[in-house]
Amino acid sequence: MSARRLVFPIAFAASTLSIAPVSSSGQQALSFEEYRARVEPIFIAPRGGHGPGRSPCATCHVHSGTPLKLQPLQEGEDGRVFWSEEQSRMNFEVVSRLVVPGQPERSRLLQKALAVRAGGAPFHVGGKFFESQADPEWRIMADWVRAADISPDLRAAETTPPPLDFEFFQTCVQQIFLNKREGRMECVHCHGGGTRGFARTLPEGRAFWGLEESRRNFEVLRRYVEPGYPLSSRFLTHPLAPEAGGDAFHSGGRRWFSQDDPEWQMLAAWVRGEDTRCLSY
Ligand code: HEC
Ligand code: HEC
């Protein structure tokens, strides 16, 4: 599918949509109908150009191995592009995993293409599309997410978010940034500074971070941790192999190939706010 074809308006398959409740516990699930009618068209809307910030989302997200992996588009006789209902349902599954029901501000779908100064993610290879949270398309996505009820678990976490234990971070988690694993590069080599500098480069002759340095590392790493939710925490999904539930892409490669990896388990327990013992190395 060439990018140029995407400038044609979407054609909806004329079938009636039926509701498939995603939630089993009675709360309001993310609406598939609303998704298909209003959210999905955003992914193929023309944006008047090519490249980051200008191509339709689908130009990149149909092909590339990103967590937002959309179905290949079909083309009607009149040249319009569309997804069949079945494909939309598959897209819906994928997109649903990138949102936290009820909470746009914690949803990766909403953050990625939003300008940093408007509360967006620090980085998106695809560029920034939405200047502010008042953007009409952004609001369509936000309304869709907000209309879904937050799960009882999440609601509990809302009122009492498990604290992220700094002491454990300082003494235990930081060791992982330095520890060698066969055939892998340590985090310190690439995360020593800049916006992702959670493992600041150590001064000559020093083997570990002091208290103040640890605090700064902590402040940076927190951006990649969703307390209570290991699998929504990029710290735990970015270096985790995709087959094991990790993100599709990390320039730094993988450190964990299974969620059963004792190190991953230990970090997950820390993120969940549980008491956990440091693995000895
Ligand atoms: C020019 C190509 C390109 C375009 C256009 C593009 N993206 Fe992306 N997007 C990427 C790439 C590459 C990644 C993976 C690397 C990264 O996270 O930046 C990505 C990642 C994402 C993610 C994954 C989030 C995560 O936390 O892992 C979301 C969500 C996303 N994009 C949403 C969008 C939306 C919405 C649009 C359209 C408004 C869009 N993208 C347009 C290339 C693109
Ligand atoms: C060879 C260099 C390299 C190594 C080693 C490396 N990373 Fe990365 N990492 C990157 C780059 C570059 C990015 C930004 C692009 C991307 O998402 O892949 C990144 C992104 C990330 C992100 C997501 C940041 C964001 O903006 O969403 C996390 C979390 C992360 N790395 C964790 C780690 C951890 C933990 C380790 C050690 C186990 C590690 N990385 C090792 C290069 C590296």
Side-chain angles (χ1 to χ4, degrees), residues 121-169:
F123 181 74
H124 175 214
V125 169
K128 297 298 181 180
F129 292 80
F130 311 119
E131 284 305 307
S132 85
Q133 298 190 9
D135 182 284
E137 289 181 320
W138 195 89
R139 287 173 67 164
I140 288 173
M141 296 194 289
D143 288 347
W144 171 63
V145 170
R146 209 174 282 123
D149 252 0
I150 121 175
S151 76
D153 283 0
L154 260 180
R155 205 191 304 279
E158 247 332 64
T159 44
T160 48
L164 210 48
D165 184 340
F166 169 71
E167 227 159 81
F168 190 78
F169 170 83

mmCIF file of all heavy atoms in Angstrom, residues 121-169:
data_model
loop_
_atom_site.group_PDB
_atom_site.id
_atom_site.type_symbol
_atom_site.label_atom_id
_atom_site.label_comp_id
_atom_site.label_asym_id
_atom_site.label_seq_id
_atom_site.Cartn_x
_atom_site.Cartn_y
_atom_site.Cartn_z
ATOM 1 N N ALA A 121 4.870 11.777 25.490
ATOM 2 C CA ALA A 121 6.077 10.983 25.733
ATOM 3 C C ALA A 121 7.305 11.741 25.220
ATOM 4 O O ALA A 121 7.206 12.519 24.275
ATOM 5 C CB ALA A 121 5.956 9.642 25.009
ATOM 6 N N PRO A 122 8.458 11.524 25.856
ATOM 7 C CA PRO A 122 9.655 12.251 25.449
ATOM 8 C C PRO A 122 10.082 11.945 24.013
ATOM 9 O O PRO A 122 10.786 12.729 23.392
ATOM 10 C CB PRO A 122 10.740 11.791 26.432
ATOM 11 C CG PRO A 122 10.179 10.658 27.200
ATOM 12 C CD PRO A 122 8.703 10.655 27.026
ATOM 13 N N PHE A 123 9.614 10.842 23.468
ATOM 14 C CA PHE A 123 10.195 10.379 22.221
ATOM 15 C C PHE A 123 9.207 9.539 21.412
ATOM 16 O O PHE A 123 8.516 8.687 21.966
ATOM 17 C CB PHE A 123 11.428 9.537 22.600
ATOM 18 C CG PHE A 123 12.175 8.980 21.438
ATOM 19 C CD1 PHE A 123 12.969 9.803 20.645
ATOM 20 C CD2 PHE A 123 12.105 7.623 21.140
ATOM 21 C CE1 PHE A 123 13.666 9.283 19.569
ATOM 22 C CE2 PHE A 123 12.802 7.095 20.059
ATOM 23 C CZ PHE A 123 13.588 7.935 19.281
ATOM 24 N N HIS A 124 9.121 9.812 20.112
ATOM 25 C CA HIS A 124 8.339 8.971 19.199
ATOM 26 C C HIS A 124 9.000 9.059 17.837
ATOM 27 O O HIS A 124 9.078 10.134 17.261
ATOM 28 C CB HIS A 124 6.886 9.469 19.125
ATOM 29 C CG HIS A 124 6.036 8.741 18.125
ATOM 30 N ND1 HIS A 124 5.037 9.345 17.413
ATOM 31 C CD2 HIS A 124 6.035 7.439 17.728
ATOM 32 C CE1 HIS A 124 4.452 8.459 16.609
ATOM 33 N NE2 HIS A 124 5.050 7.299 16.778
ATOM 34 N N VAL A 125 9.471 7.929 17.353
ATOM 35 C CA VAL A 125 10.128 7.912 16.044
ATOM 36 C C VAL A 125 9.212 8.529 14.988
ATOM 37 O O VAL A 125 9.671 9.189 14.057
ATOM 38 C CB VAL A 125 10.517 6.457 15.650
ATOM 39 C CG1 VAL A 125 10.943 6.387 14.202
ATOM 40 C CG2 VAL A 125 11.633 5.937 16.552
ATOM 41 N N GLY A 126 7.907 8.327 15.143
ATOM 42 C CA GLY A 126 6.947 8.840 14.172
ATOM 43 C C GLY A 126 6.688 10.330 14.274
ATOM 44 O O GLY A 126 5.964 10.897 13.469
ATOM 45 N N GLY A 127 7.268 10.977 15.274
ATOM 46 C CA GLY A 127 7.098 12.422 15.405
ATOM 47 C C GLY A 127 5.875 12.787 16.232
ATOM 48 O O GLY A 127 5.174 11.932 16.755
ATOM 49 N N LYS A 128 5.641 14.101 16.343
ATOM 50 C CA LYS A 128 4.532 14.597 17.142
ATOM 51 C C LYS A 128 3.428 15.102 16.214
ATOM 52 O O LYS A 128 3.691 15.809 15.251
ATOM 53 C CB LYS A 128 5.017 15.728 18.057
ATOM 54 C CG LYS A 128 6.058 15.254 19.075
ATOM 55 C CD LYS A 128 5.483 14.198 20.002
ATOM 56 C CE LYS A 128 6.494 13.734 21.051
ATOM 57 N NZ LYS A 128 5.928 12.701 21.943
ATOM 58 N N PHE A 129 2.189 14.711 16.510
ATOM 59 C CA PHE A 129 1.066 15.075 15.655
ATOM 60 C C PHE A 129 0.091 16.021 16.351
ATOM 61 O O PHE A 129 -0.649 16.730 15.711
ATOM 62 C CB PHE A 129 0.300 13.822 15.233
ATOM 63 C CG PHE A 129 1.076 12.916 14.305
ATOM 64 C CD1 PHE A 129 2.036 12.046 14.800
ATOM 65 C CD2 PHE A 129 0.845 12.951 12.942
ATOM 66 C CE1 PHE A 129 2.742 11.206 13.945
ATOM 67 C CE2 PHE A 129 1.540 12.120 12.078
ATOM 68 C CZ PHE A 129 2.499 11.244 12.579
ATOM 69 N N PHE A 130 0.078 15.953 17.676
ATOM 70 C CA PHE A 130 -0.919 16.716 18.416
ATOM 71 C C PHE A 130 -0.222 17.743 19.300
ATOM 72 O O PHE A 130 0.547 17.387 20.188
ATOM 73 C CB PHE A 130 -1.803 15.775 19.238
ATOM 74 C CG PHE A 130 -2.327 14.607 18.425
ATOM 75 C CD1 PHE A 130 -2.014 13.306 18.769
ATOM 76 C CD2 PHE A 130 -3.101 14.839 17.287
ATOM 77 C CE1 PHE A 130 -2.479 12.238 18.004
ATOM 78 C CE2 PHE A 130 -3.565 13.776 16.519
ATOM 79 C CZ PHE A 130 -3.251 12.469 16.875
ATOM 80 N N GLU A 131 -0.502 19.014 19.039
ATOM 81 C CA GLU A 131 0.158 20.103 19.752
ATOM 82 C C GLU A 131 -0.323 20.242 21.189
ATOM 83 O O GLU A 131 0.402 20.683 22.060
ATOM 84 C CB GLU A 131 -0.081 21.438 19.023
ATOM 85 C CG GLU A 131 0.753 21.599 17.766
ATOM 86 C CD GLU A 131 2.236 21.423 18.045
ATOM 87 O OE1 GLU A 131 2.759 22.103 18.958
ATOM 88 O OE2 GLU A 131 2.867 20.586 17.365
ATOM 89 N N SER A 132 -1.598 19.905 21.401
ATOM 90 C CA SER A 132 -2.127 20.042 22.754
ATOM 91 C C SER A 132 -3.239 19.033 22.966
ATOM 92 O O SER A 132 -3.720 18.399 22.023
ATOM 93 C CB SER A 132 -2.664 21.454 22.982
ATOM 94 O OG SER A 132 -3.992 21.531 22.512
ATOM 95 N N GLN A 133 -3.679 18.937 24.217
ATOM 96 C CA GLN A 133 -4.743 18.002 24.546
ATOM 97 C C GLN A 133 -6.094 18.522 24.068
ATOM 98 O O GLN A 133 -7.111 17.846 24.215
ATOM 99 C CB GLN A 133 -4.759 17.722 26.049
ATOM 100 C CG GLN A 133 -3.469 17.071 26.509
ATOM 101 C CD GLN A 133 -3.513 16.553 27.938
ATOM 102 O OE1 GLN A 133 -4.563 16.524 28.563
ATOM 103 N NE2 GLN A 133 -2.365 16.142 28.448
ATOM 104 N N ALA A 134 -6.090 19.739 23.503
ATOM 105 C CA ALA A 134 -7.335 20.276 22.942
ATOM 106 C C ALA A 134 -7.511 19.852 21.493
ATOM 107 O O ALA A 134 -8.552 20.092 20.888
ATOM 108 C CB ALA A 134 -7.332 21.803 23.046
ATOM 109 N N ASP A 135 -6.508 19.216 20.923
ATOM 110 C CA ASP A 135 -6.607 18.761 19.539
ATOM 111 C C ASP A 135 -7.832 17.850 19.386
ATOM 112 O O ASP A 135 -8.027 16.940 20.177
ATOM 113 C CB ASP A 135 -5.335 17.986 19.170
ATOM 114 C CG ASP A 135 -5.359 17.517 17.728
ATOM 115 O OD1 ASP A 135 -6.076 16.534 17.423
ATOM 116 O OD2 ASP A 135 -4.684 18.136 16.908
ATOM 117 N N PRO A 136 -8.673 18.113 18.361
ATOM 118 C CA PRO A 136 -9.923 17.342 18.219
ATOM 119 C C PRO A 136 -9.686 15.833 18.094
ATOM 120 O O PRO A 136 -10.430 15.046 18.679
ATOM 121 C CB PRO A 136 -10.543 17.888 16.928
ATOM 122 C CG PRO A 136 -9.846 19.170 16.642
ATOM 123 C CD PRO A 136 -8.526 19.150 17.338
ATOM 124 N N GLU A 137 -8.658 15.433 17.359
ATOM 125 C CA GLU A 137 -8.414 13.996 17.218
ATOM 126 C C GLU A 137 -7.949 13.396 18.540
ATOM 127 O O GLU A 137 -8.346 12.297 18.918
ATOM 128 C CB GLU A 137 -7.358 13.734 16.141
ATOM 129 C CG GLU A 137 -7.860 14.002 14.740
ATOM 130 C CD GLU A 137 -6.794 13.700 13.699
ATOM 131 O OE1 GLU A 137 -5.610 14.018 13.937
ATOM 132 O OE2 GLU A 137 -7.123 13.143 12.654
ATOM 133 N N TRP A 138 -7.086 14.145 19.212
ATOM 134 C CA TRP A 138 -6.592 13.658 20.506
ATOM 135 C C TRP A 138 -7.765 13.472 21.469
ATOM 136 O O TRP A 138 -7.842 12.495 22.190
ATOM 137 C CB TRP A 138 -5.559 14.627 21.085
ATOM 138 C CG TRP A 138 -4.765 14.014 22.213
ATOM 139 C CD1 TRP A 138 -3.599 13.307 22.100
ATOM 140 C CD2 TRP A 138 -5.092 14.036 23.615
ATOM 141 N NE1 TRP A 138 -3.192 12.884 23.338
ATOM 142 C CE2 TRP A 138 -4.069 13.307 24.280
ATOM 143 C CE3 TRP A 138 -6.131 14.593 24.361
ATOM 144 C CZ2 TRP A 138 -4.063 13.132 25.663
ATOM 145 C CZ3 TRP A 138 -6.132 14.413 25.742
ATOM 146 C CH2 TRP A 138 -5.109 13.692 26.382
ATOM 147 N N ARG A 139 -8.705 14.413 21.406
ATOM 148 C CA ARG A 139 -9.857 14.335 22.317
ATOM 149 C C ARG A 139 -10.770 13.163 21.996
ATOM 150 O O ARG A 139 -11.355 12.568 22.889
ATOM 151 C CB ARG A 139 -10.633 15.645 22.281
ATOM 152 C CG ARG A 139 -9.844 16.720 23.024
ATOM 153 C CD ARG A 139 -10.456 18.058 22.897
ATOM 154 N NE ARG A 139 -11.737 18.125 23.591
ATOM 155 C CZ ARG A 139 -12.317 19.273 23.873
ATOM 156 N NH1 ARG A 139 -11.742 20.414 23.538
ATOM 157 N NH2 ARG A 139 -13.460 19.291 24.491
ATOM 158 N N ILE A 140 -10.877 12.835 20.720
ATOM 159 C CA ILE A 140 -11.683 11.656 20.352
ATOM 160 C C ILE A 140 -11.097 10.405 21.012
ATOM 161 O O ILE A 140 -11.805 9.600 21.615
ATOM 162 C CB ILE A 140 -11.734 11.493 18.811
ATOM 163 C CG1 ILE A 140 -12.625 12.578 18.203
ATOM 164 C CG2 ILE A 140 -12.221 10.097 18.427
ATOM 165 C CD1 ILE A 140 -12.608 12.628 16.688
ATOM 166 N N MET A 141 -9.751 10.284 20.915
ATOM 167 C CA MET A 141 -9.109 9.110 21.518
ATOM 168 C C MET A 141 -9.257 9.149 23.041
ATOM 169 O O MET A 141 -9.532 8.138 23.685
ATOM 170 C CB MET A 141 -7.630 9.057 21.117
ATOM 171 C CG MET A 141 -7.413 8.863 19.627
ATOM 172 S SD MET A 141 -5.713 8.413 19.187
ATOM 173 C CE MET A 141 -4.837 9.944 19.497
ATOM 174 N N ALA A 142 -9.076 10.345 23.608
ATOM 175 C CA ALA A 142 -9.146 10.488 25.067
ATOM 176 C C ALA A 142 -10.562 10.174 25.573
ATOM 177 O O ALA A 142 -10.727 9.492 26.591
ATOM 178 C CB ALA A 142 -8.723 11.890 25.490
ATOM 179 N N ASP A 143 -11.580 10.649 24.842
ATOM 180 C CA ASP A 143 -12.965 10.384 25.263
ATOM 181 C C ASP A 143 -13.272 8.890 25.232
ATOM 182 O O ASP A 143 -13.958 8.368 26.104
ATOM 183 C CB ASP A 143 -13.958 11.124 24.348
ATOM 184 C CG ASP A 143 -13.937 12.627 24.598
ATOM 185 O OD1 ASP A 143 -13.361 13.050 25.621
ATOM 186 O OD2 ASP A 143 -14.487 13.374 23.757
ATOM 187 N N TRP A 144 -12.730 8.243 24.199
ATOM 188 C CA TRP A 144 -12.945 6.794 24.079
ATOM 189 C C TRP A 144 -12.333 6.066 25.288
ATOM 190 O O TRP A 144 -12.961 5.192 25.887
ATOM 191 C CB TRP A 144 -12.316 6.303 22.771
ATOM 192 C CG TRP A 144 -12.264 4.816 22.626
ATOM 193 C CD1 TRP A 144 -13.327 3.964 22.558
ATOM 194 C CD2 TRP A 144 -11.082 4.004 22.532
ATOM 195 N NE1 TRP A 144 -12.875 2.665 22.426
ATOM 196 C CE2 TRP A 144 -11.512 2.666 22.399
ATOM 197 C CE3 TRP A 144 -9.711 4.280 22.509
ATOM 198 C CZ2 TRP A 144 -10.613 1.599 22.277
ATOM 199 C CZ3 TRP A 144 -8.818 3.229 22.386
ATOM 200 C CH2 TRP A 144 -9.256 1.905 22.277
ATOM 201 N N VAL A 145 -11.144 6.453 25.649
ATOM 202 C CA VAL A 145 -10.467 5.815 26.783
ATOM 203 C C VAL A 145 -11.171 6.158 28.092
ATOM 204 O O VAL A 145 -11.390 5.304 28.951
ATOM 205 C CB VAL A 145 -8.983 6.258 26.844
ATOM 206 C CG1 VAL A 145 -8.326 5.804 28.138
ATOM 207 C CG2 VAL A 145 -8.217 5.718 25.638
ATOM 208 N N ARG A 146 -11.565 7.419 28.226
ATOM 209 C CA ARG A 146 -12.158 7.896 29.476
ATOM 210 C C ARG A 146 -13.519 7.240 29.736
ATOM 211 O O ARG A 146 -13.900 7.008 30.873
ATOM 212 C CB ARG A 146 -12.302 9.419 29.422
ATOM 213 C CG ARG A 146 -12.214 10.076 30.790
ATOM 214 C CD ARG A 146 -12.223 11.588 30.682
ATOM 215 N NE ARG A 146 -10.946 12.166 30.288
ATOM 216 C CZ ARG A 146 -10.754 12.946 29.219
ATOM 217 N NH1 ARG A 146 -11.761 13.229 28.411
ATOM 218 N NH2 ARG A 146 -9.565 13.429 28.948
ATOM 219 N N ALA A 147 -14.249 6.961 28.628
ATOM 220 C CA ALA A 147 -15.594 6.393 28.775
ATOM 221 C C ALA A 147 -15.562 4.986 29.359
ATOM 222 O O ALA A 147 -16.556 4.511 29.897
ATOM 223 C CB ALA A 147 -16.295 6.377 27.419
ATOM 224 N N ALA A 148 -14.421 4.320 29.251
ATOM 225 C CA ALA A 148 -14.331 2.966 29.805
ATOM 226 C C ALA A 148 -14.027 3.071 31.292
ATOM 227 O O ALA A 148 -13.285 3.943 31.717
ATOM 228 C CB ALA A 148 -13.226 2.185 29.094
ATOM 229 N N ASP A 149 -14.616 2.148 32.027
ATOM 230 C CA ASP A 149 -14.398 2.169 33.466
ATOM 231 C C ASP A 149 -13.041 1.613 33.800
ATOM 232 O O ASP A 149 -12.603 0.640 33.229
ATOM 233 C CB ASP A 149 -15.445 1.295 34.156
ATOM 234 C CG ASP A 149 -16.446 2.140 34.896
ATOM 235 O OD1 ASP A 149 -16.292 3.378 34.839
ATOM 236 O OD2 ASP A 149 -17.352 1.567 35.485
ATOM 237 N N ILE A 150 -12.445 2.214 34.742
ATOM 238 C CA ILE A 150 -11.167 1.711 35.191
ATOM 239 C C ILE A 150 -11.441 0.467 36.043
ATOM 240 O O ILE A 150 -12.457 0.368 36.709
ATOM 241 C CB ILE A 150 -10.375 2.837 35.883
ATOM 242 C CG1 ILE A 150 -9.996 2.555 37.307
ATOM 243 C CG2 ILE A 150 -11.165 4.105 35.913
ATOM 244 C CD1 ILE A 150 -9.101 3.715 37.783
ATOM 245 N N SER A 151 -10.574 -0.502 35.912
ATOM 246 C CA SER A 151 -10.825 -1.767 36.598
ATOM 247 C C SER A 151 -10.743 -1.561 38.107
ATOM 248 O O SER A 151 -10.082 -0.646 38.568
ATOM 249 C CB SER A 151 -9.796 -2.805 36.164
ATOM 250 O OG SER A 151 -8.571 -2.542 36.798
ATOM 251 N N PRO A 152 -11.444 -2.414 38.875
ATOM 252 C CA PRO A 152 -11.415 -2.255 40.334
ATOM 253 C C PRO A 152 -9.983 -2.285 40.884
ATOM 254 O O PRO A 152 -9.663 -1.543 41.803
ATOM 255 C CB PRO A 152 -12.215 -3.465 40.833
ATOM 256 C CG PRO A 152 -13.040 -3.909 39.679
ATOM 257 C CD PRO A 152 -12.286 -3.542 38.446
ATOM 258 N N ASP A 153 -9.148 -3.120 40.282
ATOM 259 C CA ASP A 153 -7.745 -3.188 40.714
ATOM 260 C C ASP A 153 -7.074 -1.850 40.564
ATOM 261 O O ASP A 153 -6.376 -1.365 41.440
ATOM 262 C CB ASP A 153 -6.956 -4.161 39.828
ATOM 263 C CG ASP A 153 -7.258 -5.585 40.215
ATOM 264 O OD1 ASP A 153 -8.053 -5.767 41.152
ATOM 265 O OD2 ASP A 153 -6.697 -6.479 39.574
ATOM 266 N N LEU A 154 -7.302 -1.270 39.370
ATOM 267 C CA LEU A 154 -6.672 0.013 39.083
ATOM 268 C C LEU A 154 -7.227 1.096 39.988
ATOM 269 O O LEU A 154 -6.507 1.966 40.437
ATOM 270 C CB LEU A 154 -6.932 0.412 37.635
ATOM 271 C CG LEU A 154 -5.812 0.165 36.655
ATOM 272 C CD1 LEU A 154 -6.238 0.611 35.275
ATOM 273 C CD2 LEU A 154 -4.564 0.902 37.072
ATOM 274 N N ARG A 155 -8.538 1.018 40.236
ATOM 275 C CA ARG A 155 -9.148 2.027 41.074
ATOM 276 C C ARG A 155 -8.495 2.006 42.466
ATOM 277 O O ARG A 155 -8.187 3.037 43.040
ATOM 278 C CB ARG A 155 -10.648 1.769 41.201
ATOM 279 C CG ARG A 155 -11.435 3.022 41.522
ATOM 280 C CD ARG A 155 -12.853 2.677 41.890
ATOM 281 N NE ARG A 155 -13.549 1.909 40.865
ATOM 282 C CZ ARG A 155 -14.102 2.458 39.799
ATOM 283 N NH1 ARG A 155 -14.039 3.754 39.603
ATOM 284 N NH2 ARG A 155 -14.724 1.717 38.917
ATOM 285 N N ALA A 156 -8.253 0.803 42.950
ATOM 286 C CA ALA A 156 -7.600 0.668 44.249
ATOM 287 C C ALA A 156 -6.198 1.277 44.177
ATOM 288 O O ALA A 156 -5.774 1.998 45.078
ATOM 289 C CB ALA A 156 -7.523 -0.796 44.656
ATOM 290 N N ALA A 157 -5.523 0.999 43.067
ATOM 291 C CA ALA A 157 -4.162 1.518 42.917
ATOM 292 C C ALA A 157 -4.177 3.043 42.831
ATOM 293 O O ALA A 157 -3.251 3.711 43.267
ATOM 294 C CB ALA A 157 -3.516 0.935 41.667
ATOM 295 N N GLU A 158 -5.270 3.572 42.255
ATOM 296 C CA GLU A 158 -5.435 5.013 42.134
ATOM 297 C C GLU A 158 -5.404 5.681 43.508
ATOM 298 O O GLU A 158 -4.735 6.668 43.723
ATOM 299 C CB GLU A 158 -6.812 5.296 41.538
ATOM 300 C CG GLU A 158 -6.910 5.879 40.183
ATOM 301 C CD GLU A 158 -5.764 6.733 39.737
ATOM 302 O OE1 GLU A 158 -4.626 6.246 39.593
ATOM 303 O OE2 GLU A 158 -6.009 7.923 39.517
ATOM 304 N N THR A 159 -6.179 5.119 44.430
ATOM 305 C CA THR A 159 -6.275 5.745 45.739
ATOM 306 C C THR A 159 -5.023 5.465 46.567
ATOM 307 O O THR A 159 -4.553 6.324 47.278
ATOM 308 C CB THR A 159 -7.539 5.268 46.488
ATOM 309 O OG1 THR A 159 -7.639 3.852 46.299
ATOM 310 C CG2 THR A 159 -8.765 5.939 45.943
ATOM 311 N N THR A 160 -4.479 4.266 46.435
ATOM 312 C CA THR A 160 -3.244 3.973 47.156
ATOM 313 C C THR A 160 -2.198 3.399 46.214
ATOM 314 O O THR A 160 -2.013 2.199 46.153
ATOM 315 C CB THR A 160 -3.475 2.917 48.265
ATOM 316 O OG1 THR A 160 -4.220 1.838 47.675
ATOM 317 C CG2 THR A 160 -4.195 3.461 49.459
ATOM 318 N N PRO A 161 -1.571 4.266 45.440
ATOM 319 C CA PRO A 161 -0.548 3.738 44.532
ATOM 320 C C PRO A 161 0.587 3.134 45.357
ATOM 321 O O PRO A 161 1.029 3.745 46.321
ATOM 322 C CB PRO A 161 -0.067 4.978 43.756
ATOM 323 C CG PRO A 161 -0.563 6.152 44.521
ATOM 324 C CD PRO A 161 -1.632 5.711 45.458
ATOM 325 N N PRO A 162 0.990 1.906 45.019
ATOM 326 C CA PRO A 162 2.072 1.302 45.793
ATOM 327 C C PRO A 162 3.326 2.169 45.635
ATOM 328 O O PRO A 162 3.667 2.543 44.520
ATOM 329 C CB PRO A 162 2.254 -0.068 45.146
ATOM 330 C CG PRO A 162 1.619 0.022 43.800
ATOM 331 C CD PRO A 162 0.582 1.108 43.878
ATOM 332 N N PRO A 163 3.954 2.510 46.721
ATOM 333 C CA PRO A 163 5.137 3.362 46.602
ATOM 334 C C PRO A 163 6.282 2.578 45.977
ATOM 335 O O PRO A 163 6.395 1.375 46.191
ATOM 336 C CB PRO A 163 5.454 3.725 48.052
ATOM 337 C CG PRO A 163 4.841 2.646 48.876
ATOM 338 C CD PRO A 163 3.689 2.086 48.093
ATOM 339 N N LEU A 164 7.055 3.253 45.195
ATOM 340 C CA LEU A 164 8.226 2.642 44.592
ATOM 341 C C LEU A 164 9.369 2.828 45.588
ATOM 342 O O LEU A 164 9.719 3.958 45.924
ATOM 343 C CB LEU A 164 8.516 3.371 43.278
ATOM 344 C CG LEU A 164 9.162 2.619 42.142
ATOM 345 C CD1 LEU A 164 8.494 1.287 41.872
ATOM 346 C CD2 LEU A 164 9.136 3.487 40.895
ATOM 347 N N ASP A 165 9.885 1.729 46.081
ATOM 348 C CA ASP A 165 10.870 1.755 47.156
ATOM 349 C C ASP A 165 12.223 2.277 46.652
ATOM 350 O O ASP A 165 12.899 1.615 45.869
ATOM 351 C CB ASP A 165 10.991 0.329 47.705
ATOM 352 C CG ASP A 165 11.915 0.235 48.905
ATOM 353 O OD1 ASP A 165 12.748 1.146 49.101
ATOM 354 O OD2 ASP A 165 11.800 -0.758 49.637
ATOM 355 N N PHE A 166 12.581 3.468 47.115
ATOM 356 C CA PHE A 166 13.840 4.056 46.656
ATOM 357 C C PHE A 166 15.056 3.290 47.177
ATOM 358 O O PHE A 166 16.031 3.090 46.464
ATOM 359 C CB PHE A 166 13.946 5.531 47.073
ATOM 360 C CG PHE A 166 15.334 6.106 46.849
ATOM 361 C CD1 PHE A 166 15.804 6.345 45.557
ATOM 362 C CD2 PHE A 166 16.181 6.369 47.921
ATOM 363 C CE1 PHE A 166 17.084 6.844 45.340
ATOM 364 C CE2 PHE A 166 17.460 6.869 47.709
ATOM 365 C CZ PHE A 166 17.909 7.100 46.418
ATOM 366 N N GLU A 167 14.974 2.845 48.408
ATOM 367 C CA GLU A 167 16.127 2.150 48.985
ATOM 368 C C GLU A 167 16.486 0.893 48.194
ATOM 369 O O GLU A 167 17.640 0.600 47.933
ATOM 370 C CB GLU A 167 15.836 1.771 50.425
ATOM 371 C CG GLU A 167 16.975 2.119 51.365
ATOM 372 C CD GLU A 167 16.461 2.207 52.786
ATOM 373 O OE1 GLU A 167 16.316 1.131 53.408
ATOM 374 O OE2 GLU A 167 16.172 3.325 53.240
ATOM 375 N N PHE A 168 15.439 0.175 47.826
ATOM 376 C CA PHE A 168 15.647 -1.040 47.033
ATOM 377 C C PHE A 168 16.238 -0.682 45.665
ATOM 378 O O PHE A 168 17.117 -1.373 45.150
ATOM 379 C CB PHE A 168 14.331 -1.798 46.868
ATOM 380 C CG PHE A 168 14.489 -3.160 46.269
ATOM 381 C CD1 PHE A 168 14.929 -4.228 47.031
ATOM 382 C CD2 PHE A 168 14.201 -3.379 44.921
ATOM 383 C CE1 PHE A 168 15.090 -5.501 46.471
ATOM 384 C CE2 PHE A 168 14.353 -4.640 44.359
ATOM 385 C CZ PHE A 168 14.793 -5.704 45.136
ATOM 386 N N PHE A 169 15.753 0.426 45.134
ATOM 387 C CA PHE A 169 16.314 0.898 43.868
ATOM 388 C C PHE A 169 17.807 1.175 44.013
ATOM 389 O O PHE A 169 18.635 0.724 43.234
ATOM 390 C CB PHE A 169 15.599 2.177 43.403
ATOM 391 C CG PHE A 169 16.278 2.839 42.232
ATOM 392 C CD1 PHE A 169 16.046 2.402 40.934
ATOM 393 C CD2 PHE A 169 17.174 3.890 42.438
ATOM 394 C CE1 PHE A 169 16.700 2.998 39.857
ATOM 395 C CE2 PHE A 169 17.826 4.489 41.367
ATOM 396 C CZ PHE A 169 17.589 4.032 40.071
#
